[in-house]
Amino acid sequence: MSEHLTIVDHPLVQHKLTLMRQKDTPTALFRQLLREISQFLAYEITRELPMDTKTIETPLEPMEAPVLAGKKLALISILRAGNGLLDGVLELIPSARVGFVGLYRDEETLKPVQYYFKVPEAIDDRLVIAVDPMLATGNSSVAAIDLLKEAGARNIRFLCLLAAPEGIKRMKEAHPDVPIVTASVDKYLNDHGYIVPGLGDAGDRMFGTK
Ligand code: URA
């Protein structure tokens, strides 16, 4: 992708996002909306995938038809909230390989702590799409991408639902080669590292843990 930051301002995405932000939106609807929006974001983030052609036969004649080039892409969920984006994206790209990076945020330091890392083989040859709904401080996203690069990934894109300007800046400084696709860039981060106006804790809201 040529742009470092893409905001998907499609009316359906923005309408669904508004529903997600509302504090009374129930867990099941929140999860459903996240799944729906993830498909628009996936559509955008895969817009410039390299293509090849192959010869096929339609009922009428042979043709050189476009197909995706290269190895199957790797979808990496940054746990746990990343899982809320996974199913929707997998519906669009069912043959994607899937990996997980487990990081939790220390609520005092706001720094990421790793507890799990498992990614598909030949990660260096795949387009990697890392997914995490909230790009807040950027600490955990930057740390996850550090780990993916250490594992050999060279072609990484980052898909999130909401971003704070602080997180975008941090990602751009640490990983200028990683394009970001999001549905919105909100106003700022509060003292607890929450995106404002945001939607609260994405993990808690999608899993009903609070
Ligand atoms: N993580 C969340 O779930 N929400 C925020 O606002 C920031 C980080």
Side-chain angles (χ1 to χ4, degrees):
M1 295 183 83
S2 45
E3 295 295 321
H4 184 260
L5 176 68
T6 304
I7 300 169
V8 181
D9 58 359
H10 191 289
L12 292 176
V13 171
Q14 295 306 314
H15 182 85
K16 289 172 193 292
L17 178 56
T18 297
L19 295 173
M20 291 187 75
R21 289 182 188 277
Q22 288 168 235
K23 61 182 182 189
D24 295 331
T25 297
T27 302
L29 179 58
F30 186 93
R31 226 178 5 238
Q32 172 65 25
L33 290 162
L34 183 58
R35 182 193 189 96
E36 290 168 8
I37 293 182
S38 73
Q39 303 198 328
F40 288 92
L41 300 177
Y43 174 86
E44 198 58 45
I45 209 166
T46 53
R47 186 183 277 285
E48 292 164 31
L49 287 190
M51 299 298 290
D52 222 334
T53 60
K54 76 171 190 179
T55 312
I56 62 163
E57 295 211 16
T58 79
L60 299 181
E61 64 171 15
M63 75 174 280
E64 278 300 297
V67 285
L68 294 171
K71 272 196 176 305
K72 307 219 169 1
L73 64 79
L75 203 54
I76 308 295
S77 168
I78 302 175
L79 297 173
R80 70 177 163 151
N83 281 13
L85 293 163
L86 208 50
D87 286 349
V89 179
L90 273 174
E91 265 171 32
L92 281 197
I93 320 168
S95 59
R97 303 308 193 226
V98 180
F100 298 91
V101 179
L103 297 166
Y104 67 86
R105 186 168 60 154
D106 184 305
E107 291 302 332
E108 272 176 23
T109 63
L110 302 182
K111 293 256 157 54
V113 183
Q114 182 195 331
Y115 64 90
Y116 191 74
F117 187 80
K118 182 88 179 168
V119 296
E121 47 102 54
I123 194 88
D124 49 327
D125 276 345
R126 301 180 191 274
L127 169 66
V128 173
I129 300 179
V131 300
D132 189 352
M134 309 299 270
L135 177 57
T137 60
N139 288 338
S140 59
S141 310
V142 165
I145 288 165
D146 285 342
L147 292 170
L148 291 170
K149 286 186 174 174
E150 277 166 33
R154 293 171 297 152
N155 185 8
I156 307 174
R157 298 178 187 180
F158 186 80
L159 183 156
C160 60
L161 175 69
L162 284 189
E166 294 87 339
I168 291 170
K169 180 165 178 285
R170 172 111 169 76
M171 277 280 277
K172 190 164 188 176
E173 282 163 7
H175 297 296
D177 57 316
V178 176
I180 299 167
V181 171
T182 187
S184 175
V185 178
D186 276 11
K187 284 196 287 194
Y188 65 95
L189 281 184
N190 72 12
D191 293 344
H192 303 287
Y194 280 92
I195 298 175
V196 180
L199 47 72
D201 188 300
D204 284 339
R205 294 205 60 193
M206 75 181 72
F207 297 121
T209 37
K210 223 175 234 170

